Amino acid sequence: MTAYLPRDISLVGHCVGLAPLREADLPDLAPILMDPAVYASGYVMHRRPATTADALALGRSRFLAADAPNGVGFGRIAFAVRLTTDSPLDAAGSLVGTTSLGDAHLANESIHLGWTIYGSRWWGTAVNAETKYLLLRHCFEELGFGRVKLQTDRLNVRSAAAIAKLGATREGVLRRETRREDGSFRDTVVFSVLADEWPAVSAGLLARLNAA
């Protein structure tokens, strides 16, 4: 199998569409970064912005400043996640969050799907399942990766439950693995999906989406 680097592409589903995050997306992302429920649930990698200007600066530094993937484990691409149709979730085109593909290592056929944040009003909807379905399908069926890693802070139990619900396998906890913005260290809970597991994971996600 040959793996290829992720590129600036768009992915479109029934509920959401993904396109590379741009400067013009930051004003729509700012309210999500300021959503108090996000931080109350255990998302503690960085502070909650106090002002819109702070949120714009945080979004710029955290999601736009990364280098492009280099194929040996560094760099990432951030995506804007927007609704594709008018629905009870909101109007078509509404930005509901962001997620990224990064740390791609071509020789190891591995990549990281993460850096995900959604506004709390879209938790528990089809948004996360379809976003992850589109990106996992892209990684396995189009880019040729053999392993996709997903991870979260051990304090973020809501995120860990959402990853497990995707059908990913919990591999374990990396203790004191990443420094948070406040200087404390995160214990990282690691999950993965492998290429030979993708057909079953895909079927499970499609069943969820069809029932939504």
Side-chain angles (χ1 to χ4, degrees):
M1 181 185 296
T2 300
Y4 299 92
L5 285 176
R7 307 179 308 279
D8 284 1
I9 63 163
S10 297
L11 303 171
V12 180
H14 175 73
C15 173
V16 297
L18 283 70
L21 188 75
R22 306 297 189 201
E23 179 76 23
D25 296 310
L26 294 183
D28 291 337
L29 182 61
I32 294 172
L33 295 176
M34 297 173 70
D35 183 349
V38 169
Y39 303 90
S41 77
Y43 185 88
V44 292
M45 281 306 295
H46 58 74
R47 69 193 183 285
R48 179 189 169 212
T51 65
T52 299
D54 190 19
L56 292 172
L58 178 65
R60 190 174 296 112
S61 64
R62 184 163 180 83
F63 299 105
L64 292 183
D67 293 332
N70 67 0
V72 291
F74 298 97
R76 62 185 170 98
I77 296 175
F79 295 90
V81 183
R82 293 185 179 275
L83 300 178
T84 56
T85 59
D86 293 335
S87 74
L89 295 177
D90 213 333
S94 297
L95 189 139
V96 298
T98 181
T99 192
S100 299
L101 290 176
D103 301 344
H105 199 293
L106 298 184
N108 292 334
E109 298 175 356
S110 64
I111 195 167
H112 177 190
L113 196 177
W115 302 274
T116 303
I117 182 171
Y118 304 111
S120 58
R121 66 170 294 187
W122 295 287
W123 295 351
T125 70
V127 164
N128 185 55
E130 186 165 62
T131 296
K132 295 303 196 297
Y133 171 77
L134 291 171
L135 286 170
L136 287 168
R137 184 181 67 182
H138 181 56
C139 288
F140 289 122
E141 299 182 15
E142 298 171 358
L143 297 179
F145 284 96
R147 179 177 188 270
V148 177
K149 177 180 72 173
L150 304 98
Q151 63 186 31
T152 191
D153 194 310
R154 186 158 67 173
L155 297 179
N156 197 338
V157 293
R158 184 194 61 80
S159 176
I163 295 172
K165 191 175 180 181
L166 297 172
T169 296
R170 189 180 190 271
E171 295 183 337
V173 178
L174 301 177
R175 298 181 301 162
R176 201 179 186 274
E177 189 262 346
T178 299
R179 189 187 293 271
R180 303 183 183 101
E181 184 185 65
D182 66 2
S184 63
F185 281 88
R186 179 179 88 172
D187 289 347
T188 300
V189 186
V190 180
F191 296 78
S192 68
V193 179
L194 304 184
D196 59 1
E197 298 167 344
W198 170 237
V201 172
S202 173
L205 287 172
L206 287 174
R208 281 180 60 186
L209 293 170
N210 289 334

